[in-house]
């Protein structure tokens, strides 16, 4: 039974008891008693009833006053206050409910305080600077690392980001994130940009919007500054070293190739053993020359400032150019090329020459690892809603183990168990593919093939060109081009 119902029953019981007592007292007055005596008896009964009511209401008022006082104390932040009422009293259940509420609030506040202390300790110990903005775009909090990268006069709290860090791009990004506190921003509300703060100091800034899906008052932005100056410096040194070394190697390699070719052509009467030695020299010189060219191409691409926004290429035409360049390798191994691209073409936002290089590197990889006489498939799918085209090169080779699928895109990395069986690989082809695709806003990955194409399945995606027709159907063809061996074509 609830506390209010119990209190009401008790009050009704007291009223009934007092009324019954008053009536019972009047029955004991003798009939011979005078009017004055009767009035005195009734007055005494009423006085007794009044005393009982006074005692009862005083007890209730004291209990109620204590409940009010404790509730106000809890509301003011004194979560350790408790109600101490007699067990079985009118407000016993209410007191227990208030005490339970106070214990729960105290536990929650303690947990929040501990978490806040831990978070503050983490922020204070971070090497990365952290800025937190409120819904108005003002700095709400910052950690001490901010002072090391952007010294300010006084506290940064309450200032706009551009007043703390002189970067208009950073300020505009914060304004864009806060412009619509409840709407989506680039899908996840996260943005990454790179900015220079001082000579030779570069920072990668990660911005995450707070309160996604909430009210505008709950919006905010968290900025984390990652110092990438040393990484950029090391990357630049590595690129310069690679470019300088490979440039110096080109002249002696050209001389070696030239002399070997000249001797082979000018001395047909050479002994077979000597001719074999010269063939080995020429073969390895060509391999080294290709590696030098790949390193130089990769260095040039890394020094670029990004893809042109007007770049446009037709994927089918780029694939056709790549097939023509890979034809001698395919003929030597009697491979079947299954070209499954849309007849209407797929226009993507990519440099045409670099897209051809992507296709060529992936085809060379498939030709190198695919079994002799096997099939290689090239496919394409478009997603007009997302504005992305996804391409794939599938082979029937041994595939790539799951633990090595990320590393195959690293420079000079080759799957160990195939190294001795695949001469001619520089270990840079897939790294170049990854760099070109990501430079144009796409991504590249590899997985296990399915069905008949059970080898490696290399996929890469690129943004569709702006003028591409999003309603164009993806009608795949299965035109097979068999590359005959020289003996078969003769």
């Amino acid at each position: 039974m609830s506390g209010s119902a119990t209190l009401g029953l008790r009050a009704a019981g007291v009223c009934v008891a007092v009324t019954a007592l008053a009536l019972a007292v009047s029955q004991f007055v003798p009939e011979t008693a005078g009017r004055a005596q009767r009035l005195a008896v009734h007055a005494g009964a009423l006085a007794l009833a009044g005393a009982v009511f006074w005692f009862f209401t005083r007890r209730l008022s004291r209990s109620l006053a204590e409940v009010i006082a404790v509730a106000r104390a809890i509301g003011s932040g004194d979560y350790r206050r408790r109600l101490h009422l007699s067990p079985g009293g009118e407000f016993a259940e209410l007191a227990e409910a208030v005490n339970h509420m106070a214990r729960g609030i105290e536990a929650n506040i303690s947990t929040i305080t501990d978490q806040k202390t831990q978070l503050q300790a983490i922020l204070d110990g971070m090497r990365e600077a952290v800025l937190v903005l409120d819904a108005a775009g003002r700095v709400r909090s910052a950690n001490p690392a901010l002072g090391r990268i952007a010294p300010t006069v006084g506290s940064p709290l309450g200032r706009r980001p551009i007043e703390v860090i002189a970067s208009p791009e950073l300020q505009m990004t914060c304004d864009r994130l806060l412009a619509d506190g409840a709407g989506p921003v680039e899908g996840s509300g996260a943005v990454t940009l790179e900015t220079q703060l001082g000579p030779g100091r570069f920072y990668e800034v990660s911005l995450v919007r707070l309160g996604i899906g909430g009210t505008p008052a709950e919006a905010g932005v968290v900025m984390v500054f990652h110092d990438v100056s040393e990484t950029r410096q090391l990357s630049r040194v590595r690129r310069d070293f690679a470019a300088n070394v490979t440039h110096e190697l080109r002249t002696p390699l050209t001389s070696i190739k030239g002399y070997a070719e000249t001797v082979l052509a000018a001395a047909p009467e050479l002994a077979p053993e000597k001719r074999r030695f010269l063939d080995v020299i020429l073969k390895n010189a060509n391999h080294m020359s290709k590696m030098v060219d790949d390193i130089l191409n990769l260095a040039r691409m890394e020094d670029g400032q990004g893809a042109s926004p007007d770049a446009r290429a037709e994927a089918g035409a780029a694939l056709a150019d790549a097939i023509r360049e890979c034809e001698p390798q395919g003929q030597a191994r009697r491979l079947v090329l299954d070209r499954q691209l849309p007849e209407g073409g797929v226009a993507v936002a990519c440099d045409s020459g670099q897209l051809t290089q992507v296709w060529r590197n992936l085809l060379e990889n498939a030709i190198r690892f695919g079994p002799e006489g096997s099939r290689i498939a090239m496919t394409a799918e478009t997603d007009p809603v997302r504005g992305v085209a996804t391409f794939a090169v599938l082979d029937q080779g041994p595939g790539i183990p799951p633990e090595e699928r990320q590393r195959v895109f690293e420079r000079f990395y080759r799957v160990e168990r195939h190294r001795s069986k695949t001469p001619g690989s520089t270990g840079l082809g897939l790294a170049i593919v990854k760099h070109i695709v990501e430079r144009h806003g796409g991504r590249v990955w590899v997985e296990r093939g399915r069905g008949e194409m059970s080898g490696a399945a290399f996929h890469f995606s690129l943004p569709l060109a702006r003028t591409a027709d999003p309603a164009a159907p993806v009608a795949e063809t299965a035109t097979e081009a068999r590359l005959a061996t020289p003996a078969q074509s003769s």
Side-chain angles (χ1 to χ4, degrees):
M1 186 177 293
S2 64
S4 60
T6 302
L7 182 61
L9 289 177
R10 289 185 179 181
V14 170
C15 292
V16 171
V18 171
T19 304
L21 178 61
L23 294 175
V25 169
S26 62
Q27 297 296 327
F28 291 102
V29 178
E31 296 181 0
T32 58
R35 183 178 181 184
Q37 291 177 332
R38 291 181 177 274
L39 290 176
V41 170
H42 286 295
L46 290 175
L48 178 61
V52 171
F53 275 114
W54 177 84
F55 175 78
F56 185 71
T57 54
R58 178 178 174 83
R59 181 180 176 183
L60 289 179
S61 63
R62 280 202 306 265
S63 299
L64 187 59
E66 185 175 355
V67 171
I68 294 173
V70 171
R72 286 178 175 173
I74 294 174
S76 300
D78 186 5
Y79 306 114
R80 299 191 176 186
R81 284 288 297 273
R82 299 290 185 269
L83 278 172
H84 303 286
L85 300 179
S86 333
E90 292 79 7
F91 293 99
E93 293 187 19
L94 177 61
E96 180 58 31
V98 171
N99 290 340
H100 179 74
M101 177 190 68
R103 285 191 294 268
I105 294 176
E106 182 181 7
N108 291 335
I109 293 298
S110 178
T111 301
I112 293 172
T113 302
D114 291 342
Q115 291 176 348
K116 183 178 179 181
T117 302
Q118 294 175 8
L119 179 60
Q120 190 62 46
I122 293 172
L123 291 176
D124 292 345
M126 288 178 61
R127 296 180 58 186
E128 293 83 3
V130 179
L131 271 179
V132 182
L133 307 184
D134 57 19
R138 302 280 178 175
V139 178
R140 180 193 302 169
S141 62
N143 68 341
L146 180 67
R148 294 195 294 267
I149 67 171
T152 57
V153 180
S155 171
L157 301 182
R159 300 186 178 188
R160 292 171 58 81
I162 198 168
E163 300 176 40
V164 181
I165 299 173
S167 173
E169 182 184 9
L170 187 62
Q171 179 65 60
M172 288 188 294
T173 304
C174 293
D175 293 341
R176 180 165 57 87
L177 286 172
L178 292 169
D180 185 5
V185 175
E186 296 187 2
S188 63
V191 176
T192 300
L193 58 88
E194 191 169 295
T195 184
Q196 182 175 1
L197 305 176
R201 305 306 301 176
F202 296 90
Y203 291 87
E204 186 180 82
V205 187
S206 301
L207 299 94
V208 179
R209 195 183 69 194
L210 302 175
I212 296 178
T215 62
E218 298 173 350
V221 174
V222 176
M223 293 183 285
V224 181
F225 296 78
H226 308 273
D227 191 346
V228 295
S229 305
E230 184 177 354
T231 303
R232 287 196 54 164
Q233 175 66 19
L234 292 175
S235 180
R236 183 166 57 252
V237 170
R238 176 183 55 78
R239 290 197 305 269
D240 293 344
F241 173 77
N244 293 333
V245 169
T246 51
H247 181 74
E248 294 299 325
L249 286 174
R250 293 189 99 177
T251 300
L253 282 174
T254 302
S255 299
I256 293 172
K257 287 176 57 179
Y259 282 121
E261 290 172 350
T262 301
V263 173
L264 283 172
E269 70 282 356
L270 281 176
E273 184 176 1
K274 294 181 180 180
R275 179 171 292 276
R276 183 170 60 85
F277 289 159
L278 288 173
D279 287 336
V280 171
I281 292 173
L282 182 60
K283 176 182 177 182
N284 284 279
N286 287 329
H287 176 70
M288 288 294 297
S289 180
K290 186 176 186 305
M291 182 181 294
V292 166
D293 291 339
D294 286 345
I295 293 175
L296 287 175
N297 288 337
L298 191 57
R300 278 194 291 265
M301 286 186 291
E302 289 178 339
D303 286 336
Q305 299 299 318
S308 170
D310 299 326
R312 178 185 173 88
E314 206 288 300
L319 175 58
D321 292 340
I323 290 176
R324 281 193 295 270
E325 295 180 24
C326 298
E327 184 174 1
Q329 303 174 42
Q331 288 177 339
R333 306 199 66 192
R334 297 181 292 108
L335 296 174
V336 176
L337 298 185
D338 185 1
R339 189 176 182 274
Q340 300 177 7
L341 266 66
E343 293 181 349
V346 180
V348 293
C350 182
D351 178 79
S352 178
Q354 293 188 4
L355 180 57
T356 299
Q357 187 172 10
V358 169
W359 280 119
R360 184 177 68 246
N361 289 0
L362 293 177
L363 282 174
E364 288 177 351
N365 185 78
I367 291 171
R368 187 177 303 116
F369 290 103
E372 186 173 348
S374 62
R375 186 162 65 96
I376 298 173
M378 290 80 59
T379 67
E381 295 180 357
T382 58
D383 186 347
V385 177
R386 295 172 51 230
V388 173
T390 303
F391 305 95
V393 176
L394 317 173
D395 62 54
Q396 296 176 313
I400 299 175
E403 64 274 10
E404 298 188 87
R405 290 174 187 170
Q406 290 297 325
R407 297 203 61 193
V408 294
F409 296 102
E410 298 177 6
R411 295 174 178 85
F412 302 109
Y413 183 83
R414 287 185 288 178
V415 180
E416 186 67 28
R417 63 194 177 97
H418 302 306
R419 178 173 297 179
S420 60
K421 302 179 182 179
T422 56
S425 173
T426 65
L428 290 171
L430 296 180
I432 293 175
V433 168
K434 183 175 186 291
H435 191 86
I436 292 176
V437 171
E438 292 183 349
R439 185 169 177 258
H440 288 85
R443 69 185 189 97
V444 60
W445 69 98
V446 61
E447 59 188 18
R448 184 75 178 182
R450 298 177 178 86
E452 183 184 358
M453 309 305 294
S454 58
F458 281 88
H459 302 265
F460 67 96
S461 63
L462 289 170
L464 290 171
R466 294 181 181 179
T467 56
D469 182 9
V474 182
E476 294 187 348
T477 64
T479 303
E480 294 189 352
R482 186 169 188 89
L483 301 179
T485 61
Q488 290 173 324
S489 61
S490 58

